[in-house]
Amino acid sequence: MTFNLPSCLVAGALSLLAPLWAQDHGDHSHSTEDHLYEAARDPAVSWEEAYARAVEEEVEKAFLVEAQTIHYLSTGNMPELYKHLDELEAVSGELEYGMANSFHSERQLIGLVASIRAIQAYEATDMPEFEKQAAKSFINAPEYTQAFGLIQLMTEVRQKEVQEAAMANLRIPMDLVIASADGEEKPLSQWLSGNKAMLIDFWASWCGPCIQLMPELRTKGESLPSQGIVVAGMNTDADDPVGKAKKTRAEHKMELMPWLLEPEDRPLSQLLMINSIPRMILVAPDGTVLYNGHPMDPSLKTALAKLDVKI
């Protein structure tokens, strides 16, 4: 899996969870505990100093663990949060729950832990564990399921399963004639021209992520042809695809790479179930789809490695 995505989901979840932490914690507004909570959620307050003070004054361990949880969440420190979950679960029976506290109930805490474990499993591509934890999150605290985007991730998992099943038996018609931005027209088989495979990047000028990844495409276009992989852009713009392909090619200095134009009826996009871009397709000479996914997904590197190609 890719992954900037979990960090983005965590950022979205924090904006929803922050109001829980903004409340006064009990009746001791200037206590060591309140100072620790303030430091946990406010980067302007030294967390290290507040935590050291709390330890020195022998604040209860459960309180320290709860504050650490808030600190790791508010700073987006997922690696530490992952390591912290067992400790959080161990003190769950000792925490104070209620609307004036960080967690309404123990079930809400269980839901938070399950949500974070689900993201951890997703990053590790452990889909059985991801589904188990996502379900546990929804059952106990659906607000966290929504906040962390687990429903979206589950939808993507299911869509990928359907896509992979479809791609397993798919053969792209290599006699399909594709034009380039320079006016050359020939079948895909001739664009591939006896090489190991063809890596096609589906993009459009209106797609911000596509344009942002052009430097990555240039790197692939420079390093892969010598290893037997033809790298090509496939413009899907409906309006002036030739002009936009030439402009993008010039701006990113990729004159040596084929810049292809998908036909107006989008035969490849339909066949390959492309419903979002950027998308990269790795095609074998017989039309077998060796990879169909995001350009930065580690699975692309795996697919190329099977062809003895390094990326």
Side-chain angles (χ1 to χ4, degrees):
M1 299 292 164
T2 169
F3 271 77
N4 296 324
L5 182 58
S7 61
C8 295
L9 294 174
V10 170
L14 288 171
S15 66
L16 298 175
L17 301 174
L20 293 174
W21 308 332
Q23 304 174 44
D24 289 335
H25 194 82
D27 300 323
H28 39 335
S29 58
H30 299 290
S31 70
T32 300
E33 288 88 344
D34 275 336
H35 183 61
L36 184 60
Y37 268 92
E38 182 183 10
R41 62 179 180 262
D42 186 350
V45 180
S46 173
W47 164 256
E48 289 76 13
E49 291 180 7
Y51 187 81
R53 173 185 165 189
V55 171
E56 182 180 352
E57 297 188 12
E58 298 183 346
V59 168
E60 292 182 4
K61 181 179 179 180
F63 201 98
L64 295 174
V65 172
E66 184 178 0
Q68 281 180 306
T69 304
I70 296 171
H71 174 63
Y72 293 143
L73 280 168
S74 63
T75 57
N77 191 340
M78 297 305 289
E80 286 300 319
L81 188 57
Y82 294 153
K83 293 187 288 186
H84 181 72
L85 292 179
D86 288 342
E87 192 173 14
L88 178 60
E89 288 181 313
V91 301
S92 61
E94 304 170 36
L95 297 177
E96 294 181 11
Y97 298 102
M99 295 304 293
N101 296 283
S102 298
F103 302 101
H104 302 162
S105 65
E106 188 168 3
R107 288 195 67 173
Q108 188 188 45
L109 175 60
I110 291 170
L112 171 65
V113 171
S115 295
I116 297 168
R117 289 197 189 281
I119 291 176
Q120 184 181 22
Y122 188 84
E123 289 183 324
T125 65
D126 185 347
M127 291 303 105
E129 183 65 15
F130 166 71
E131 294 185 9
K132 172 186 173 182
Q133 295 296 338
K136 186 176 181 180
S137 168
F138 182 78
I139 291 171
N140 287 281
E143 66 270 26
Y144 286 125
T145 306
Q146 180 68 31
F148 282 100
L150 298 183
I151 294 176
Q152 176 188 344
L153 290 179
M154 182 63 75
T155 300
E156 292 176 1
V157 168
R158 290 288 176 262
Q159 288 177 339
K160 187 171 183 179
E161 289 175 353
V162 170
Q163 182 187 79
E164 289 177 350
M167 294 304 106
N169 299 313
L170 178 67
R171 294 293 182 274
I172 290 179
M174 299 303 287
D175 58 351
L176 178 66
V177 176
I178 300 293
S180 72
D182 296 317
E184 186 176 7
E185 295 186 7
K186 56 187 180 182
L188 277 172
S189 58
Q190 290 186 27
W191 285 112
L192 196 146
S193 187
N195 284 276
K196 291 181 182 179
M198 186 172 185
L199 185 63
I200 308 173
D201 181 68
F202 285 74
W203 68 281
S205 61
W206 50 261
C207 169
C210 298
I211 302 303
Q212 291 174 2
L213 286 176
M214 283 298 160
E216 292 288 343
L217 179 59
R218 182 176 64 236
T219 297
K220 292 180 176 70
E222 292 172 349
S223 64
L224 296 183
S226 62
Q227 300 181 67
I229 305 297
V230 177
V231 181
M234 181 72 76
N235 188 8
T236 62
D237 275 298
D239 178 41
D240 188 24
V242 172
K244 289 172 179 174
K246 288 184 175 180
K247 179 181 177 182
T248 302
R249 176 177 65 184
E251 287 178 347
H252 294 276
K253 298 179 174 59
M254 290 189 277
E255 288 79 4
L256 298 179
M257 191 176 75
W259 286 83
L260 308 180
L261 312 173
E262 186 174 20
E264 291 184 6
D265 57 351
R266 303 289 182 259
L268 292 175
S269 290
Q270 293 184 42
L271 192 63
L272 294 163
M273 303 174 67
I274 297 177
N275 53 16
S276 65
I277 53 176
R279 181 75 67 86
M280 269 193 172
I281 310 297
L282 184 63
V283 186
D286 65 352
T288 301
V289 179
L290 306 176
Y291 176 77
N292 181 348
H294 192 277
M296 300 305 291
D297 193 310
S299 298
L300 173 58
K301 184 176 181 179
T302 301
L304 288 168
K306 293 178 180 179
L307 300 174
D308 294 324
V309 174
K310 295 182 179 180
I311 186 172

